[in-house]
Amino acid sequence: MKLKGLRLDPTSCRSKIWRLAAYSRLSVLILQYLFDILIPDHQAHDVFISPSFQDEDTSSVGRTVTFMFGASLRWDAQYFLHIFRYGYTYENTLAFFPLYPYTLRLLTAIIPGHLNTLFLVAAILFNNIIFVLTALVLFNLTLRIYNNTQFAYNSAVLFCFNPASIFFSAPYSESLFAFTTFYGMYLISNENIWRSSLFFGLSALNRSNGLLNAGFLIYFIIQSIVKKKKLFKCFLGICFIFACFSSFQIYGYYKFCIPQAHSLDPKVVNYATTNKLIIPNNHSLPPWCGVRIPYTYIQEKYWKNIGFLNYFQVKQVPNFLLAFPCILLLLTFGLKYFYKNNFIYLGLRSRDKPDFVYIVHSTLLTLFCLFCIHVQVTTRMMASSSPVLYWACASYFKFPLKLNSITFSYLFEDYKSRLVILYYCTYFIVGTALFVNFFPFT
C-alpha cells in the first residue's frame, strides 16, 4: 500500500518526520501551559525544591517565561535547576549525572539574565531541538537495521508522540540521553567505533543506564572475533564508556569524602539544615565513602524500595498498572523475537537480522525495571533508552501512519493498532496534565 500524499522514499520521509517532531513538541508546550492554568497543583509531599526556586525573576521577561513554562519545573527538573545554579552541593544530587545541567550552563555562560529564567529558556529550547534531531536519528537507525522505509517512518512517528513525551520537553535529561544513545547505536551499526564510543560515553555521563550501552561494543567485539576485525577499537571504546561513568563517581567521592573548604550560598546551607541533607565538608563523612559507589548508595537512601522485588507492594499496584502497557509491549515483542529466532547463535549467522543486540538490550532493561526499580519509571526510561519500544509498536501497523482516510479506515479494522494509538494519545495528553500539576506520572 502506498502512502497517500507522501512518497515512501527516505528523503521525503525525513522531511515529514522533522515537521511532525516539531509539531509534537509545540503541542506538548501548549498542553502543559493549558493544563497548568486549568488544573490546580497537587500538594506533593517530601519533594525536593531547589532553594534557588525561591529566587524569583521579577522582570517582565522572567514573569512571562515563568508563566508560560514554569509548570515544567517539576520533580527531577528541580534537581537539574539546582545543579545548574549551585553544582553538587547536596549528597542526593549525585543521583543526577552532569552532562545535561552542565551543557545548559555552558550554553548560557555568556548570556546575561536571571539564572532561573536562563535555565528554563535554555532547557526548553535545547530539549525540543534535540528531540527533533533524535527523531531523524531514529528513522536513520531503523532504516539501517530493517531496510524498510515504511517501518522506519512509522517508528519515528511513534517516537514523536511517545507516551513519555512531556519528559522530552521539560527540563529533564531524556532528550539528550535518547539522542546520544540512538546516535551511538546508528554509528555502531555503520561500524564507526570511535564516534559511537564517544556518544555512548556521553550517554554514560548523562544517565546511569548509559553504562549499559557498552554492551553494544561488547557485542561488536564478539562479532569482531568471528569476523576478525576492529577488536582493539571496541576494547578502547568500552574503556572510554566506563571511564565516563567512573569519572562522575570519582568526582562525588572527591566532593564529599575529602575534607576541604567550600563556599556555599547561605540559602543552600539553610535548606540543607532544614531538610537534613548532607553537604560537602559536613564535619562527618557520608557512610558510603570508601565503601560504596555513590550512585547506588544514594539511590537506595533517597529513593526507597530500590532492589529486587522491593517494590512489589500492594500500594504500588497503580504504578505497576501505569507501566503495564510499556512492559507488555516490550516483553511480548522480545519473546516473539526469541521464539522465532534461535538466540543460541547470538545473531552472528549471516542470515540473522542485525537487530539481535537491540532486542536483548531492551528485554533485559525492561526486566530490570520491572523487578528492581520504581516500576513507573519504566515508560520514560525505555522511551529514551531503546528504539525497540517504537519498533514493537510499529510492528502493529501494516500501513503508513498519516492523518488521512486510509489510515483511519485501517485503524477501525485492526483493534491492536487502535490500542497502540489509544495508549500513545492517552499518555501524551494525560501524562502531560499529571506532570505539570505535580501528580505522580512516570
Side-chain angles (χ1 to χ4, degrees):
M1 174 181 160
K2 295 183 179 181
L3 181 59
K4 186 178 180 181
L6 176 66
R7 301 189 316 277
L8 274 179
D9 66 272
T11 301
S12 60
C13 285
R14 290 187 186 96
S15 177
K16 183 69 173 179
I17 287 165
W18 80 258
R19 287 182 172 84
L20 275 175
Y23 293 152
S24 75
R25 293 311 90 196
L26 180 60
S27 300
V28 169
L29 294 178
I30 293 173
L31 286 174
Q32 66 89 29
Y33 169 74
L34 292 176
F35 286 134
D36 183 46
I37 293 176
L38 297 174
I39 303 175
D41 284 351
H42 171 64
Q43 298 301 315
H45 300 290
D46 299 324
V47 176
F48 176 82
I49 303 294
S50 175
S52 65
F53 200 57
Q54 309 299 327
D55 182 17
E56 298 182 8
D57 186 354
T58 57
S59 68
S60 58
V61 173
R63 288 197 301 268
T64 302
V65 170
T66 303
F67 180 69
M68 295 293 296
F69 307 115
S72 62
L73 285 171
R74 306 298 193 219
W75 304 107
D76 292 357
Q78 287 287 333
Y79 286 97
F80 289 120
L81 171 62
H82 184 82
I83 297 167
F84 172 84
R85 288 205 58 171
Y86 301 115
Y88 290 89
T89 60
Y90 302 138
E91 180 189 54
N92 59 347
T93 59
L94 291 175
F96 300 88
F97 282 53
L99 181 65
Y100 177 64
Y102 284 176
T103 297
L104 296 182
R105 181 186 287 188
L106 181 64
L107 291 174
T108 59
I110 61 173
I111 302 175
H114 194 282
L115 290 177
N116 286 12
T117 301
L118 289 176
F119 170 80
L120 193 51
V121 172
I124 296 296
L125 289 175
F126 179 75
N127 281 16
N128 289 286
I129 292 172
I130 288 293
F131 181 90
V132 174
L133 296 176
T134 307
L136 294 172
V137 170
L138 176 61
F139 173 80
N140 291 334
L141 170 63
T142 308
L143 187 61
R144 171 72 182 176
I145 297 299
Y146 289 99
N147 195 29
N148 185 323
T149 305
Q150 178 177 294
F151 187 73
Y153 172 79
N154 285 349
S155 298
V157 170
L158 289 167
F159 172 75
C160 292
F161 299 93
N162 75 74
S165 275
I166 182 60
F167 298 99
F168 288 82
S169 289
Y172 271 59
S173 58
E174 264 69 13
S175 280
L176 182 57
F177 185 74
F179 176 75
T180 53
T181 297
F182 292 178
Y183 196 46
M185 292 174 177
Y186 174 71
L187 292 168
I188 195 69
S189 71
N190 285 294
E191 301 187 4
N192 193 325
I193 307 302
W194 294 129
R195 292 177 65 193
S196 65
S197 299
L198 171 63
F199 280 89
F200 284 151
L202 291 175
S203 73
L205 278 173
N206 193 26
R207 295 178 66 91
S208 61
N209 58 302
L211 187 64
L212 298 178
N213 290 332
F216 292 96
L217 289 176
I218 293 174
Y219 182 72
F220 202 92
I221 282 182
I222 298 174
Q223 289 182 316
S224 299
I225 293 173
V226 175
K227 300 177 182 178
K228 298 180 181 180
K229 62 177 183 177
K230 298 187 178 181
L231 180 62
F232 184 65
K233 288 183 179 181
C234 288
F235 176 75
L236 290 181
I238 293 169
C239 292
F240 176 73
I241 296 170
F242 275 84
C244 288
F245 178 87
S246 301
S247 63
F248 182 56
Q249 305 308 306
I250 294 170
Y251 169 80
Y253 183 88
Y254 169 80
K255 185 85 172 181
F256 284 84
C257 298
I258 298 178
Q260 53 191 301
H262 292 280
S263 178
L264 300 178
D265 190 302
K267 290 183 293 187
V268 172
V269 177
N270 292 337
Y271 186 87
T273 303
T274 303
N275 294 276
K276 299 180 180 179
L277 296 175
I278 294 177
I279 60 176
N281 198 24
N282 200 30
H283 305 296
S284 62
L285 297 181
W288 50 265
C289 287
V291 179
R292 297 277 300 277
I293 293 175
Y295 178 79
T296 57
Y297 173 84
I298 289 162
Q299 280 283 322
E300 292 177 6
K301 178 179 178 181
Y302 294 96
W303 285 263
K304 305 297 183 182
N305 300 318
I306 297 291
F308 184 66
L309 298 182
N310 288 343
Y311 210 61
F312 278 64
Q313 304 171 16
V314 174
K315 65 180 181 180
Q316 302 299 347
V317 169
N319 287 323
F320 278 90
L321 293 176
L322 192 64
F324 176 75
C326 180
I327 293 173
L328 178 65
L329 284 165
L330 285 167
L331 293 185
T332 301
F333 188 74
L335 290 174
K336 284 182 178 178
Y337 179 88
F338 295 129
Y339 178 76
K340 293 179 179 179
N341 300 275
N342 195 335
F343 61 88
I344 295 176
Y345 295 99
L346 303 179
L348 296 174
R349 297 175 299 180
S350 58
R351 66 176 181 270
D352 290 333
K353 294 180 179 180
D355 55 356
F356 173 83
V357 66
Y358 301 93
I359 311 298
V360 171
H361 171 261
S362 68
T363 303
L364 293 179
L365 189 55
T366 302
L367 291 172
F368 175 78
C369 292
L370 175 61
F371 292 111
C372 298
I373 67 171
H374 293 184
V375 72
Q376 66 268 27
V377 178
T378 303
T379 305
R380 65 183 173 97
M381 179 178 287
M382 298 309 301
S384 62
S385 302
S386 174
V388 177
L389 174 62
Y390 311 108
W391 297 348
C393 295
S395 67
Y396 291 101
F397 299 94
K398 306 306 178 185
F399 49 91
L401 285 168
K402 190 169 186 260
L403 295 176
N404 58 20
S405 58
I406 298 176
T407 298
F408 285 120
S409 64
Y410 272 86
L411 284 174
F412 278 109
E413 294 175 5
D414 182 12
Y415 79 94
K416 291 183 179 179
S417 60
R418 276 185 291 171
L419 288 175
V420 172
I421 293 295
L422 178 64
Y423 167 49
Y424 272 62
C425 291
T426 301
Y427 277 58
F428 186 90
I429 298 171
V430 178
T432 301
L434 293 174
F435 175 83
V436 300
N437 290 287
F438 249 130
F439 288 94
F441 179 40
T442 72

